[in-house]
Amino acid sequence: MPEYKAPLRDIKFVMNELLNSEQHYANLEGAEDATPDMVDAIIQEGAKFCEQVLSPLNQVGDQEGCTWSEGGVKTPTGFKEAYQQYVEGGWPSMTADPNYGGQGLPHSIGLVVSEMVGTSNWSWGMYPGLSHGATNTIEEHGTEEQKQTYLTKLISGEWTGTMCLTEPHCGSDLGTLRTKAEPNADGTYSITGTKIFISAGEHDMAENIVHIVLARLPGAPEGTKGISLFIVPKQLPNEDGSAGERNAVSCGSLEHKMGIHGNATCVMNFDGAKGWLIGPENKGLNCMFTFMNTARIGTAIQGLGAAELGFQGSLAYAKDRLAMRSLSGPKNPDGIADPIIVHPDVRRMLLTQKVVAEGARALIYLAGQQVDVVHSGKTEEERKHADALLGFLTPIAKAFLTEIGYESANLGMQVFGGHGFITEWGMEQNVRDSRIGMIYEGTTGIQALDLLGRKVLMTQGEALKVFTKQVHVFCKENADNEQLKEFIEPLAAINKEWGDLTMKVGMTAMKNREEVGAAAVDYLMYSGYAVFAYLWARMAKVALDKMADGTSEEMFYNAKVQSARFYFKRLLPRTKTHAETMLAGSDSLLDMPEEAFAI
Ligand SMILES: Cc1cc2nc3c(=O)[nH]c(=O)nc-3n(C[C@H](O)[C@H](O)[C@H](O)COP(=O)(O)OP(=O)(O)OC[C@H]3O[C@@H](n4cnc5c(N)ncnc54)[C@H](O)[C@@H]3O)c2cc1C
């Protein structure tokens, strides 16, 4: 099993050298506490907790899994104690509202900690991750009374939260959900229905669980316009705020699944459970959308984590494992064979994981900065711009990173040869655990429709321009830089092609709407590679500038430039295939009649 080592040097590179976090925090309203020393101390402490407490529990969680008995769920050995430590360390309150016990630190710092938590033990990290979703919802839409009752407990970590959207017949299409909410005379609601696949729906880590539930009021309009949002606690709160009588909500069973065994995936039965409306009637989905970007960036971290964990495990193995000789002559003449890291194909697999992990880190932290500005930017203009950029980057980060993160996890396993398939090395667990990233929080197909349909075409390309303008400025500023030429020229070409392709898809979509669905996933993947090209070119520039100024870390910065070169030569060309297939039209997908799909 690989021992997780927090990649602190690269985290600092992205935060401080690429994204200038110090200046970024200084520009935010109310982020005075986010001084460089404070941020550094948080990251160091977080790294220690993840390396020493969470990482050793990753395999335990996979092997033991969660167990269900009479409605109760026992989490794997050590999970509960680790959660206790997490709460005592004040981690749940880090980015939350100070009026309810939070520390009010910028969200982007929370994302760095989430990266380390998620990479060291994704299943465990989902428990506080889901609480974070519930916290955000109540913070944004709850009444003062709801905030005093629930938010304080979620922020302290005494209670955890869930998001209850999915039902047996619907996940992507929430417009068809059936869970009912009947108004009671006292202003509460009786919630009845079944929710499935509810992560952290039941467990033994905290004294109460706050479910955020989507349901329909009597006579509500059909579809997404008739959905409301409710708080349904597992135990009803007493007058003094403590957890009281049991509510009529229970876990009917646990799902048996491919990975993330340490996280309880629950069937939740609501049998007239008492609930409270959050936000306006029939506006439940709108309320959810306000924090969806943050939740999706949270899921994007799973792609980053999968690549990082695979890279850490397979790098150590590739330096140690001996097999055959280098084609250009022995590199380890005293040994019986050379270490496999000398072979070009092993290099391909290692470098792919490395550039995916580091590129993903850059993308997620960049998105995290937009979340900060949306919440605490000083001017309306800044907040609006950040919101547009975040909206555009979110589906790309969520879907592209989980797709290439999963590919990387597979490559991590492949580097191990047969041993990769064997449990003890942890690589097959990484593959199994990361597969779900492409499914929950909106599948890749659904994210792609969001990007191409809602974000790009419905804004007549404005959302795309918010990003491509930035790339254009960067290319122009560096057009005369000889050392950067190998990155700037292809980047400028991709940036232009991206706009041209968008126009072409948009034109065909005006004639036939099926073209949007037919092009969407290729468009999203193309966009992901284009965003990565921009980030890798910027990282190469930072590294080249550092080396020009003189540095004692020549190897680190040189590796950045070499990684950028690998990216441009070996991964960016994938855009060619996506460009061609996104324009291939819907006919080859839709011409075949359904009956012809017979087996
Ligand atoms: C381990 C796990 C944990 C989960 N945790 C939670 C949780 O905490 N809370 C929660 O509410 N849910 C949770 N989910 C549910 C998850 O979010 C849904 O499974 C997911 O959104 C997909 O919905 P579905 O399963 O109903 O698939 P469907 O919506 O039936 O989709 C099936 C396939 O059809 C495609 N598809 C559907 N519509 C379209 C379209 N219009 N165009 C193109 N393709 C389309 C999808 O992309 C997918 O490939 C979890 C699921 C799992 C497995």
Side-chain angles (χ1 to χ4, degrees):
M1 188 69 193
E3 273 176 29
Y4 171 69
K5 192 96 196 77
L8 293 177
R9 181 64 190 93
D10 199 58
I11 287 175
K12 286 180 188 164
F13 172 80
V14 177
M15 285 188 81
N16 304 334
E17 298 168 61
L18 180 71
L19 299 176
N20 196 355
S21 290
E22 188 177 346
Q23 187 61 51
H24 165 75
Y25 294 135
N27 286 347
L28 296 176
E29 201 74 67
E32 296 76 21
D33 287 347
T35 59
D37 287 350
M38 171 64 122
V39 174
D40 202 46
I42 292 171
I43 294 170
Q44 297 282 353
E45 271 312 299
K48 235 194 277 170
F49 177 70
C50 295
E51 288 170 0
Q52 296 172 7
V53 179
L54 297 184
S55 174
L57 296 176
N58 196 25
Q59 199 169 33
V60 177
D62 184 53
Q63 288 175 357
E64 280 185 24
C66 295
T67 42
W68 181 96
S69 170
E70 291 169 16
V73 171
K74 188 175 171 309
T75 53
T77 306
F79 269 42
K80 189 174 169 175
E81 292 74 16
Y83 185 71
Q84 205 47 47
Q85 262 179 274
Y86 182 80
V87 170
E88 282 161 13
W91 296 106
S93 64
M94 196 169 41
T95 58
D97 187 342
N99 294 319
Y100 304 94
Q103 300 172 52
L105 285 164
H107 289 265
S108 56
I109 304 177
L111 282 177
V112 178
V113 175
S114 297
E115 177 204 322
M116 297 189 287
V117 168
T119 311
S120 58
N121 192 332
W122 186 261
S123 295
W124 186 93
M126 283 177 72
Y127 293 97
L130 267 299
S131 292
H132 193 60
T135 303
N136 284 345
T137 314
I138 300 175
E139 210 168 270
E140 191 93 13
H141 302 287
T143 62
E144 185 53 33
E145 193 184 347
Q146 288 168 346
K147 289 181 184 176
Q148 292 296 347
T149 309
Y150 298 102
L151 204 49
T152 48
K153 297 284 190 187
L154 285 166
I155 289 175
S156 70
E158 289 164 270
W159 297 358
T160 64
T162 73
M163 303 304 301
C164 298
L165 285 63
T166 307
E167 298 187 4
H169 67 286
C170 72
S172 309
D173 187 5
L174 292 169
T176 63
L177 71 80
R178 295 181 190 140
T179 296
K180 282 193 286 197
E182 298 278 348
N184 297 321
D186 62 358
T188 65
Y189 295 81
S190 289
I191 313 291
T192 303
T194 299
K195 297 284 179 180
I196 64 163
F197 300 158
I198 303 308
S199 302
E202 178 59 48
H203 58 78
D204 55 2
M205 286 164 49
E207 66 166 349
N208 201 4
I209 302 174
V210 182
H211 302 289
I212 306 292
V213 185
L214 286 180
R216 280 184 188 288
L217 291 165
E222 285 190 358
T224 52
K225 292 199 169 83
I227 297 174
S228 304
L229 197 59
F230 299 87
I231 300 180
V232 184
K234 172 179 162 183
Q235 280 162 238
L236 297 165
N238 290 320
E239 283 289 306
D240 65 0
S242 59
E245 193 188 322
R246 187 68 203 251
N247 200 358
V249 49
S250 60
C251 171
S253 63
L254 286 182
E255 303 291 354
H256 298 277
K257 54 194 196 286
M258 175 178 180
I260 56 166
H261 291 155
N263 194 267
T265 306
C266 306
V267 174
M268 298 303 300
N269 297 319
F270 295 84
D271 300 309
K274 199 172 207 178
W276 285 263
L277 182 72
I278 318 176
E281 287 183 4
N282 300 327
K283 294 276 184 244
L285 269 192
N286 295 25
C287 293
M288 299 281 293
F289 271 124
T290 56
F291 79 92
M292 212 76 113
N293 286 336
T294 328
R296 289 181 169 172
I297 296 295
T299 312
I301 291 176
Q302 191 167 17
L304 159 55
E308 178 66 41
L309 200 63
F311 178 62
Q312 291 196 9
S314 59
L315 175 64
Y317 191 80
K319 286 182 176 175
D320 196 48
R321 176 75 173 177
L322 305 181
M324 300 173 66
R325 291 294 182 190
S326 158
L327 294 172
S328 55
K331 301 289 181 292
N332 175 34
D334 298 336
I336 53 158
D338 286 340
I340 58 172
I341 195 168
V342 304
H343 303 308
D345 190 55
V346 174
R347 291 293 182 112
R348 171 187 67 81
M349 294 191 277
L350 290 172
L351 280 163
T352 301
Q353 296 173 75
K354 181 173 161 61
V355 300
V356 168
E358 293 174 11
R361 183 167 297 117
L363 173 49
I364 286 170
Y365 292 9
L366 174 69
Q369 288 197 337
Q370 310 317 308
V371 178
D372 291 344
V373 179
V374 170
H375 282 92
S376 317
K378 285 195 174 135
T379 65
E380 175 68 16
E381 198 188 339
E382 277 177 327
R383 290 194 294 271
K384 264 184 138 163
H385 181 267
D387 195 40
L389 188 53
L390 179 65
F392 174 71
L393 289 177
T394 297
I396 298 174
K398 193 301 177 169
F400 176 68
L401 296 185
T402 54
E403 292 278 342
I404 58 169
Y406 178 67
E407 177 192 343
S408 300
N410 266 306
L411 292 174
M413 183 166 117
Q414 190 74 7
V415 169
F416 278 74
H419 297 279
F421 202 66
I422 305 301
T423 303
E424 68 175 280
W425 294 99
M427 292 291 107
E428 58 87 42
Q429 182 189 339
N430 193 31
V431 173
R432 287 186 288 105
D433 284 354
S434 58
R435 181 61 184 84
I436 184 62
M438 293 130 83
I439 298 174
Y440 55 20
E441 221 18 91
T443 60
T444 299
I446 296 299
Q447 299 295 338
L449 284 178
D450 180 47
L451 176 70
L452 180 58
R454 221 164 67 87
K455 304 272 165 64
V456 174
L457 296 182
M458 273 169 71
T459 64
Q460 272 81 42
E462 275 311 306
L464 173 67
K465 279 188 211 141
V466 171
F467 190 78
T468 51
K469 247 191 224 162
Q470 210 167 302
V471 180
H472 180 69
V473 171
F474 174 76
C475 290
K476 245 178 121 181
E477 281 170 359
N478 293 285
D480 299 330
N481 186 330
E482 271 305 307
Q483 278 186 302
L484 272 183
K485 206 169 164 186
E486 60 178 308
F487 308 119
I488 297 296
E489 283 185 1
L491 175 62
I494 282 281
N495 205 40
K496 179 175 178 314
E497 186 186 53
W498 202 1
D500 295 346
L501 288 167
T502 305
M503 287 277 284
K504 283 185 189 160
V505 173
M507 297 293 276
T508 53
M510 282 205 289
K511 289 184 213 132
N512 176 6
R513 294 185 66 181
E514 296 288 8
E515 297 296 332
V516 179
V521 169
D522 283 300
Y523 185 84
L524 182 138
M525 294 303 287
Y526 181 100
S527 303
Y529 288 113
V531 170
F532 257 39
Y534 170 60
L535 292 170
W536 269 112
R538 276 184 58 184
M539 289 195 274
K541 178 179 162 52
V542 172
L544 286 165
D545 288 351
K546 289 276 174 183
M547 287 192 285
D549 290 349
T551 170
S552 58
E553 292 184 297
E554 187 87 14
M555 198 191 298
F556 175 81
Y557 291 115
N558 214 7
K560 275 282 169 211
V561 178
Q562 286 160 339
S563 299
R565 194 166 292 139
F566 170 84
Y567 179 75
F568 273 80
K569 285 201 184 306
R570 293 194 160 260
L571 297 188
L572 190 60
R574 294 179 182 187
T575 49
K576 292 190 171 63
T577 309
H578 291 300
E580 193 168 330
T581 41
M582 89 172 75
L583 298 178
S586 60
D587 295 353
S588 55
L589 298 170
L590 297 178
D591 276 358
M592 191 183 291
E594 271 179 45
E595 310 82 69
F597 279 87
I599 296 160

